[in-house]
Amino acid sequence: EAGPGPAWPSKCPWGAPKAAPMSCSLADVMSEQLAKELQLEEESAAFPEAAAVAEGPFITGENIDTSSDLMLAQMLQMEFDREYDAQLRREEKKFNGDSKVSISFENYRKVHPFDSDSSEDEVDWQDTRHDPYRADKPTTTPKKGFIGKGKDITTKHDEVVCGRKNTARMENFAPEFQVGDGIGMDLKLSNQVFNALKQHAYSEERRSARLHEKKEHSTAEKAVDPKTRLLLYKMVNSGMLETITGCISTGKESVVFHAYGGKSTNEEDKVIPPECAIKVFKTTLNEFKNRDKYIKDDYRFKDRFSKLNPRKIIRMWAEKEMHNLTRMQNAGIPCPQVVILKKHVLVMSFIGQDQAPAPKLKDVKLSSEDMKKAYYQVLNMMQQLYKECNLVHADLSEYNMLWHEGKVWLIDVSQSVEPTHPHGLEFLFRDCRNVSQFFQKGGVTEALNERELFNAVSNLNITADNEVDFQAEIEALEKMNEDHVQKHGKKVSMFPSDGDPP
């Protein structure tokens, strides 16, 4: 029985399907925050215990709050402690090596060992025993003396092998001898070069030892040797000096200290000034090799000079300055007053005030009137020094003249000689040149040139048109005087002059 027709669906199958609602937008799907949340949900579902532990107080990579300065400081400190422990382990390995008995730096570690296990597998590049950048030392030749066979044989005399061995042997030189990293550069030294370096290193080592020993027995730049220190202690202990404050000047030949004067030890001694200058002549001899001419030809010391050893000559140098200062003081020339001489230590009055030494003429800024006044003072002192003291300064310049209390003071007369010295007139002409040039540059129009100043001081009245002829006449006078001295054995000058010559 035919039933009714097929039952058609209520909706047309070709109709548009109903759109399913979307759970989230595309932007939400691409969000990293959403991905992390979904991942955490999956992890918490799969591993509930680990998720519970993660919520604890431990610091992990997921829950660090870097906004807290305290948290950052703790993290940095933990990292520093780990690096420190790793360094300790490297030092421990390097020190112990393969020894059966080893030491441990466990007490010096910052982090407990179970916290630092992760760094055990780090590559130790700082271990010098296994440094990949360090060249290996050359292997030694076996007892048989050669390696290889036939044409590939290499003996211990091979140029390359021998050169590398010589480079390695340079490490045995003294530590002060810098040899560099020859092994790292694969340097090959020949026997000739190595032997020369070895001899030089040995010579330098001996020279260093000699210098060290020399410094302990001689005065240095601003220090004194034990013997000089003992002399100064005795002066202080005797009450002659109250205290020694410090160094005020250094030179090639001496060191000058400042001291406060004490009381006189004997009734016959001079009154000690309130401030003193202690001139310590250096006992090193290398500064005196070119200064022998100032003393060996001086008749006052000539006979003693040849009989003394070099160190006693230095004492003679101090004695010479004392005698020269005494002559100048007796003539009324402004100069330091001699207090006492002990071996190579000369105590004088201090030119200055309150530990401040008087400035040198080259350092002080004088007015034109004061400069002119200073020039005439220097001219007068040079004439007094020549005629009354029978001396030539021999090193007179603006460096050895002080300006104090409105007048010029002369210092440093240890090299001063008499005009009868074989080079006395040459020294005088040199002093005149220094003085003339200084005051002419200082603006003194009345300043004489060196030849006029020489004649004004010595009264020799040498007439010459140029400096060469002038110096030739000076040398002729010196030669004539020296011949007369050798012939008659008297220290009488043959210089022609109007007045009484020295």
Side-chain angles (χ1 to χ4, degrees), residues 294-311:
Y294 293 99
I295 193 170
K296 70 179 181 180
D297 292 325
D298 195 326
Y299 80 95
R300 297 174 292 172
F301 306 94
K302 190 172 185 179
D303 295 336
R304 294 165 52 195
F305 182 83
S306 58
K307 300 176 183 178
L308 295 178
N309 60 36
R311 295 192 178 275

Side-chain angles (χ1 to χ4, degrees), residues 251-263:
K252 293 183 296 183
E253 66 178 27
S254 62
V255 182
V256 182
F257 296 93
H258 174 272
Y260 285 104
K263 59 183 184 300

